[in-house]
């Protein structure tokens, strides 16, 4: 039983000391940050486009009437 626990402990220590998983976590955080920024930018872009097309509609409507 002690041998099994020792082997399990050694595997856990080896797994904890590996750095390969850290890169994936960092990439995931960067992607999440970019996604959040793109979502915020999209909101402001949509508001700006809505205002611009509203102004165009008003201007064209005044020429048609």
């Amino acid at each position: 039983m002690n041998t099994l626990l020792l082997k399990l402990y050694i595997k856990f220590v080896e797994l904890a000391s590996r750095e390969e998983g850290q890169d994936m976590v960092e990439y995931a955080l960067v992607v999440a940050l970019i996604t959040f920024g793109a979502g915020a930018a999209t909101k402001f872009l949509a508001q700006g486009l809505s205002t611009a097309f509203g102004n165009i509609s008003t201007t064209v409507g005044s020429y048609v009437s």
Side-chain angles (χ1 to χ4, degrees), residues 23-37:
D23 291 338
M24 293 303 258
V25 171
E26 290 170 358
Y27 289 136
L29 289 173
V30 169
V31 168
L33 182 63
I34 290 171
T35 303
F36 178 74

Side-chain angles (χ1 to χ4, degrees), residues 6-41:
L6 181 60
K7 287 181 181 179
L8 182 63
Y9 175 74
I10 291 171
K11 288 289 185 184
F12 180 73
V13 169
E14 287 175 358
L15 181 65
S17 66
R18 289 176 31 191
E19 296 182 5
E20 295 147 354
Q22 293 177 359
D23 291 338
M24 293 303 258
V25 171
E26 290 170 358
Y27 289 136
L29 289 173
V30 169
V31 168
L33 182 63
I34 290 171
T35 303
F36 178 74

Side-chain angles (χ1 to χ4, degrees), residues 39-63:
T42 302
K43 179 181 176 184
F44 291 115
L45 179 65
Q47 289 175 349
L49 286 174
S50 178
T51 303
F53 280 115
N55 291 341
I56 292 169
S57 174
T58 303
T59 304
V60 171
S62 68
Y63 286 124

